[in-house]
Amino acid sequence: MGLEQCCYVFTKLIRILTRLDVPVHPYPYLVFQQVKYPNPFLWTALIRGYAIQGPLSESVVLYNRMRREGTGPVSFTFSALFKACGAVLDVNLGRQIHAQTIVIGGFASDLYVGNTMIDMYVKCGFLNCGRKVFEEMGERDVVSWTELIVAYAKHGDMDSAGELFQGLPVKDMVAWTAMVTGYAQNARPREALQCFEKMQEVGVETDDVTLVGVISACAQLGAAKYANWVRDVAEKSGFGPTENVVVGSALIDMYSKCGSVEEAYKIFEGMKERNVFSYSSMIVGFAMHGCAHAAMQLFHEMLKTETKPNKVTFIGVLTACSHAGLVEQGRQLFLTMDKCFGVAPSADHYACMVDLLGRAGQLEEALELVGTMPMEPHGGVWGALLGACRIHGNPDIAQIAANHLFELEPNRIGNYILLSNIYASAGRWDDVSSLRKLMRKKGLKKNPGCSWVEAKKGVIHEFYAGDTSHPKSIEIKQTLDDLLDILKAHGYQPILSSVTYDVSNEEKRRILMSHSEKLALAYGLLSTDAGCLIKIMKNVRICEDCHAFMCSASQATGREIVIRDNVRFHHFHDGACSCGNFW
DNA sequence: GTAGGGTTAG
């Protein structure tokens, strides 16, 4: 066998072994040593092997040895090294190799080398360096563009991503998908859908990856109309939930977020293959809807399978326990998650535990738990504690939590409002007003409460508190007044403490009746057929009075009412709520 | 050899 042939065969062999995940040590390395005069491809196969499996230092050692022994690298050598630097986020080494490509000459302008270099910089968080490489490349292809588009999207800069995309001469499916997904990931679901429509208009194929982006956009819109539409699209294009585990999991999440946990479970049941995403999405879905028992049952079912729970699964079960008041079960899970399942509790899991204890009224213990955390508590942890203080009316611990929150999240308006509500409930109006002053000084404005309801044909109607701009405003007011009379006869009493302004009781009653979800409910009653479920979405937490009002309304009208606030779903049915008055 | 995907708490 000649030298070239010999190198060729051995290179192939090493590549195959690497692909089979056989450790580079010892066999591929032994193969390599059999060859007296390795050519660049053989060197590179081995360098690549170490680059993929680690340690990266070993591939660099080999690269240097190769140079010393007089063999020149090929572009493939650099691609492998950049890929590895990107994987371990070693930008310094990446820069050194970048410099090499310039010194040796010819490689810096190579398409593959350039593309892997962009990817390396971007992965390490040096977007501008990636952009610079892109600008200086002699030749670019759709891969170079897409890498940057994705990088901008991940940085939340959809405008730059869009600009690049505009300038991309030939847009393929992957590039389009990057845009659709980018919009979805940046909470711009409408633009994601528009982008998807355009993609279809110009005749670009779509696949399951595209669909997942679209499904995520629909989940954010939370409307049944879009949910059913995208499911249809998925099934018609041959990527239905039965066959495709990723599409299936995305659909489970979407239906949960659109208010239909039943539909989500149907998808789950119909899936041929389930993985940790499918289980976790379903468990989180159950938890969101207050179905704690179902969440726990599914978790135990999961434990009987090969699928191992991960950190998100535990977020799901802990949230379920928290909303159902299952303190002991939650405590057990928290204690065993590391020991039995190898999932070390993160700050997020601590936040769940603080929530669990806090909701159950064990505020002191919750505060103690924060003190034992092995990491710095983040906003979620203190936020959970503050939320619990609102439920149980504890302004002192609230103050501790709020002080941390004001440091950690100085611009998050919700924290100020929560504390202000806690002060107001305790009648500490002086504290309320000094907090208001602080908010004014910081230029923070209250996020107006808003609710929307899906009427016939999926048309969405939006209401703000005290809103009279709807064309049927007068009828809405009338419906609401009539309903109020009926509910009062059923025993409903307005909960005046839900108004956190220091005003007369009469004024409080008036304010309560102008809350946006009540307007949305009245419109829902007006615009849908009797017996029809009414689904309301809102952007802030539902107040206690509205919650009681909805409970009573579900009984008096015989309607099922579903409200999604910023955190979870409330199912009102026959005078009770799925959250067990626990939110 | 290079580019796009799903679940996360207040």
Side-chain angles (χ1 to χ4, degrees), chain A residues 226-333:
Chain A
Y226 292 108
N228 294 327
W229 165 78
V230 73
R231 183 204 184 148
D232 209 45
V233 173
E235 253 151 21
K236 280 192 181 133
S237 49
F239 298 102
T242 317
E243 312 297 332
N244 191 303
V245 64
V246 183
V247 169
S249 305
L251 285 174
I252 291 172
D253 171 61
M254 179 193 73
Y255 272 115
S256 301
K257 286 179 178 158
C258 289
S260 183
V261 70
E262 296 86 2
E263 207 56 48
Y265 191 62
K266 272 189 206 154
I267 300 267
F268 178 82
E269 273 188 309
M271 285 167 71
K272 281 196 181 140
E273 184 200 337
R274 294 170 196 151
N275 62 17
V276 65
F277 283 91
S278 333
Y279 276 102
S280 304
S281 298
M282 197 61 243
I283 289 171
V284 169
F286 278 137
M288 225 183 340
H289 285 270
C291 316
H293 183 68
M296 294 307 288
Q297 199 180 338
L298 187 59
F299 176 66
H300 288 294
E301 255 173 54
M302 176 183 181
L303 296 185
K304 289 183 204 142
T305 70
E306 297 278 286
T307 312
K308 298 276 164 270
N310 68 9
K311 55 187 181 170
V312 181
T313 323
F314 281 102
I315 299 274
V317 281
L318 288 175
T319 317
C321 290
S322 165
H323 290 307
L326 304 172
V327 180
E328 274 320 305
Q329 276 200 52
R331 234 195 274 262
Q332 279 309 312
L333 279 168

Side-chain angles (χ1 to χ4, degrees), chain A residues 119-137:
Chain A
D119 195 49
M120 181 273 298
Y121 278 124
V122 160
K123 281 213 174 86
C124 295
F126 292 80
L127 211 161
N128 289 337
C129 297
R131 177 79 193 224
K132 195 153 173 280
V133 173
F134 175 81
E135 299 293 348
E136 288 167 1
M137 272 163 81

Side-chain angles (χ1 to χ4, degrees), chain A residues 438-490:
Chain A
L438 179 68
M439 287 164 69
R440 255 199 307 277
K441 205 175 109 197
K442 290 186 174 237
L444 295 172
K445 284 218 175 74
K446 205 166 160 177
N447 194 7
C450 172
S451 296
W452 54 102
V453 62
E454 222 173 316
K456 278 183 185 161
K457 294 184 193 157
V459 181
I460 290 167
H461 295 257
E462 198 177 57
F463 298 92
Y464 286 88
D467 201 341
T468 54
S469 63
H470 194 276
K472 292 205 169 161
S473 180
I474 295 171
E475 286 137 290
I476 291 170
K477 174 89 172 52
Q478 191 56 50
T479 309
L480 204 50
D481 286 343
D482 294 347
L483 183 60
L484 180 63
D485 289 338
I486 299 169
L487 299 193
K488 275 184 177 160
H490 271 77

Side-chain angles (χ1 to χ4, degrees), chain A residues 139-161:
Chain A
E139 188 195 351
R140 301 169 192 152
D141 65 358
V142 64
V143 176
S144 341
W145 295 81
T146 309
E147 278 174 334
L148 271 184
I149 288 171
V150 169
Y152 280 117
K154 294 235 155 98
H155 268 241
D157 184 357
M158 279 314 286
D159 295 340
S160 299

Side-chain angles (χ1 to χ4, degrees), chain A residues 342-466:
Chain A
V343 182
S346 69
D348 296 338
H349 297 105
Y350 276 93
C352 290
M353 281 310 286
V354 169
D355 192 57
L356 174 75
L357 296 168
R359 276 173 203 274
Q362 305 175 19
L363 293 170
E364 302 282 347
E365 200 182 334
L367 183 60
E368 259 170 50
L369 181 69
V370 179
T372 67
M373 283 176 64
M375 69 288 277
E376 275 304 303
H378 61 212
V381 176
W382 293 116
L385 190 60
L386 187 63
C389 291
R390 183 199 66 94
I391 298 173
H392 296 286
N394 188 323
D396 298 327
I397 294 184
Q399 210 152 29
I400 300 173
N403 283 341
H404 287 280
L405 283 168
F406 295 162
E407 288 254 310
L408 290 167
E409 308 170 336
N411 294 321
R412 194 158 164 146
I413 179 90
N415 297 330
Y416 297 84
I417 293 174
L418 259 180
L419 183 62
S420 157
N421 290 355
I422 294 165
Y423 282 148
S425 298
R428 285 165 58 167
W429 299 108
D430 290 345
D431 288 323
V432 172
S433 81
S434 58
L435 203 55
R436 290 230 168 96
K437 254 180 230 147
L438 179 68
M439 287 164 69
R440 255 199 307 277
K441 205 175 109 197
K442 290 186 174 237
L444 295 172
K445 284 218 175 74
K446 205 166 160 177
N447 194 7
C450 172
S451 296
W452 54 102
V453 62
E454 222 173 316
K456 278 183 185 161
K457 294 184 193 157
V459 181
I460 290 167
H461 295 257
E462 198 177 57
F463 298 92
Y464 286 88

Side-chain angles (χ1 to χ4, degrees), chain A residues 17 52 59 88 213 269 314 474 583:
Chain A
L17 289 173
I52 291 172
S59 33
V88 298
E269 273 188 309
F314 281 102
I474 295 171
W583 81 101

Side-chain angles (χ1 to χ4, degrees), chain A residues 206-213 215 239 244 246-247:
Chain A
T206 60
D207 67 1
D208 48 344
V209 184
T210 323
L211 282 168
V212 166
I215 293 169
F239 298 102
N244 191 303
V246 183
V247 169

